[in-house]
Amino acid sequence: MSNGTLTRKLGFWSALAIAVGTTIGSGIFVSSGDVAKAAGTPSISIPILAWIIGGVIAIPQVMVLAELSTAYPQNGSGYVYLNKAGWRPLAFSYGWATFWALDPPSISIMALAIVSYLATFFPFFSGVAGKLLGIAIILLITSIHYRSVKEGGLFQVIITAIKIIPFLIVIVLGIMYMNPDNFAYTPGPGAQKSSLIGGVSATTWAYTGMAAICFMAGEFKNPGKILPRALISSVFIVLALYTLLAVCVIGLMPFEELINSNAAVSEAVKYIPGLSDIASSFVAITAIIVILGSLSSCIMFQPRLEYAMAKDGLFFQRFARVHPKYETPSFSIIVQVTYACILVCFSNLTVLLGYFTLIQLVINIMDFAAVYKCRKRDDYNPIYRMPMWRLTTVLAILGASWLAWGTFTWAPIQGVIAALIVIVTGLPVYYYWERKYGSKKNNDSDIVA
């Protein structure tokens, strides 16, 4: 029986599955073409190099997170680190914006994406029927993670392994049937100039997601060993997968088609003998599995943030409830998926998600900067310490700033509006909870070793 706290039940493979499963999403199906287009055409090697550099940029970021998560192996991720750094209002704003405008909407978007791919096989699932199916998918996955974190971790390991298999098939067959002449492409007159920076920037989103395990740091056995291994291993696994996939896509299809493609992987599969006739179905099934894995991961880790905030007196207190039998943050899970199911009934969620993305990116930068403040605390005793920590932290901040700047240039007005919404709605609530509950000391009280 639970004593009202979350316990450490998850191992290394669950951590790795959550990190990899969250990172590899539906974006990979279109990003190969975007990266090639952004990188330019004079050199085939540049898009491939862009994928490699994009992964390398993520390495210092996960190293910073590995140190912070082993110093404070508690649920909550960035909220915990910002709070420990003394930036409590910012920590609250992080959780406030995440709950209302990022996490549940992302669950809704992924559920609807799965339905859209299923509709290619079963046209009946469109309109109201599709929305009902999306809600059913959310509830089905939720039932797994609600009843047991251990079973949820096992499911995540299985679904992540399954979602990687189709990519491995494309890579193996792609290497076998690629056309070497495609790598000798020579651009015609007037072709755009090469832009390695543009190519790397286009890969950045594909490498986000590893930090998901930090939200559940309080539920991993031996976090000082597991979290750094899982974080760093996930970067190299995703980097290798993306780079090999990029090589195969370039080797399979003419470069002129690649840079104009909105579904590069799907179109590249058409050049593989044996898969050409079923390319659309193969990619649709792959997409369903891939997005299902990401959906499962999000339903699993996202409620832990509000659970941590509630334990600390900065969110509705019911979110701190732990199921007496299942030992999961049951109320937090129920509320988030209920909110997500409601959002399934509305459109333009992608636009909403984009508005608030800039806020999260800026706060992510503050997460990395928090290590400077946390290292001055008496209770800062990380089991893992990143090498050359000052340089590593600077590189992590620069990488995150690059992505934030790119997002700002894409939607500057929307980003400012979203920031104002968070401030106007969040700060009054923050000061209310501060007056009501005070600065409660969490310190690992929500964790059972």
Side-chain angles (χ1 to χ4, degrees):
M1 297 293 289
S2 171
N3 61 354
T5 61
L6 300 180
T7 55
R8 299 187 183 277
K9 296 181 177 180
L10 299 176
F12 169 76
W13 292 111
S14 295
L16 185 64
I18 295 170
V20 174
T22 306
T23 306
I24 301 176
S26 59
I28 187 61
F29 293 99
V30 297
S31 56
S32 294
D34 293 338
V35 171
K37 184 184 297 184
T41 58
S43 174
I44 288 289
S45 63
I46 289 181
I48 298 173
L49 186 60
W51 281 107
I52 296 173
I53 295 177
V56 171
I57 288 176
I59 294 175
Q61 297 179 1
V62 298
M63 284 184 173
V64 175
L65 292 174
E67 178 169 315
L68 287 168
S69 64
T70 60
Y72 305 115
Q74 307 168 16
N75 287 352
S77 188
Y79 165 77
V80 174
Y81 315 143
L82 292 170
N83 203 6
K84 293 290 186 179
W87 301 326
R88 194 168 170 83
L90 185 61
F92 170 80
S93 298
Y94 171 77
W96 184 255
T98 298
F99 175 76
W100 290 110
L102 289 170
D103 284 355
S106 68
I107 291 174
S108 304
I109 291 170
M110 283 186 281
L112 290 173
I114 293 173
V115 171
S116 68
Y117 281 106
L118 283 171
T120 61
F121 302 103
F122 309 102
F124 170 77
F125 291 116
S126 59
V128 176
K131 292 183 183 297
L132 291 176
L133 178 60
I135 292 173
I137 292 171
I138 292 174
L139 295 179
L140 178 62
I141 300 300
T142 299
S143 67
I144 298 174
H145 295 298
Y146 180 89
R147 292 177 61 87
S148 172
V149 66
K150 193 171 183 178
E151 291 180 6
L154 176 61
F155 176 78
Q156 192 62 42
V157 171
I158 294 172
I159 194 67
T160 300
I162 293 175
K163 73 188 287 183
I164 291 177
I165 291 174
F167 291 119
L168 295 179
I169 292 173
V170 173
I171 290 170
V172 172
L173 295 179
I175 292 174
M176 292 173 58
Y177 293 107
M178 67 172 56
N179 183 0
D181 293 339
N182 289 344
F183 293 95
Y185 172 74
T186 302
Q192 72 178 73
K193 293 183 178 181
S194 171
S195 174
L196 179 59
I197 294 178
V200 174
S201 179
T203 71
T204 311
W205 278 116
Y207 283 106
T208 59
M210 290 91 167
I213 60 175
C214 296
F215 286 86
M216 302 184 67
E219 293 170 82
F220 290 107
K221 295 177 284 188
N222 195 0
K225 181 179 179 180
I226 286 177
L227 292 174
R229 286 177 57 202
L231 283 165
I232 296 172
S233 297
S234 65
V235 174
F236 287 103
I237 290 173
V238 175
L239 190 159
L241 185 66
Y242 285 170
T243 302
L244 289 172
L245 194 61
V247 170
C248 292
V249 168
I250 292 172
L252 287 170
M253 63 189 300
F255 203 70
E256 299 96 326
E257 295 183 20
L258 175 60
I259 61 176
N260 294 311
S261 174
N262 292 321
V265 175
S266 178
E267 294 179 14
V269 170
K270 295 178 181 179
Y271 287 87
I272 299 177
L275 292 180
S276 57
D277 295 334
I278 59 169
S280 297
S281 298
F282 177 84
V283 172
I285 293 173
T286 300
I288 291 170
I289 297 171
V290 167
I291 301 172
L292 189 63
S294 298
L295 176 64
S296 171
S297 177
C298 289
I299 291 175
M300 186 178 190
F301 79 80
Q302 287 175 353
R304 270 65 182 180
L305 172 58
E306 286 70 34
Y307 164 82
M309 294 177 67
K311 293 287 289 187
D312 203 27
L314 282 184
F315 213 69
F316 304 100
Q317 292 300 289
R318 289 190 177 184
F319 281 75
R321 289 184 178 178
V322 174
H323 196 284
K325 179 180 179 181
Y326 303 135
E327 296 184 321
T328 58
S330 52
F331 186 82
S332 186
I333 293 174
I334 289 174
V335 172
Q336 292 215 37
V337 298
T338 300
Y339 180 24
C341 289
I342 294 173
L343 292 177
V344 166
C345 301
F346 296 91
S347 59
N348 297 324
L349 288 178
T350 304
V351 176
L352 175 65
L353 192 65
Y355 282 6
F356 287 85
T357 297
L358 179 61
I359 298 174
Q360 188 171 42
L361 290 173
V362 172
I363 295 178
N364 285 347
I365 295 172
M366 298 299 292
D367 277 349
F368 301 138
V371 74
Y372 288 99
K373 295 287 293 270
C374 290
R375 274 182 168 250
K376 298 177 182 179
R377 292 176 58 98
D378 294 335
D379 64 349
Y380 192 77
N381 297 299
I383 296 176
Y384 168 86
R385 288 185 179 269
M386 56 183 144
M388 298 181 293
W389 75 272
R390 289 186 176 84
L391 175 61
T392 302
T393 303
V394 168
L395 292 175
I397 292 173
L398 290 177
S401 300
W402 188 357
L403 180 56
W405 173 250
T407 303
F408 179 77
T409 57
W410 165 63
I413 297 177
Q414 295 92 328
V416 171
I417 292 175
L420 290 174
I421 291 174
V422 171
I423 293 172
V424 170
T425 62
L427 288 184
V429 179
Y430 165 74
Y431 287 113
Y432 167 76
W433 272 324
E434 276 289 78
R435 287 195 302 270
K436 185 173 182 180
Y437 298 106
S439 299
K440 293 174 63 178
K441 299 290 185 180
N442 198 10
N443 294 329
D444 290 337
S445 62
D446 61 331
I447 307 300
V448 174

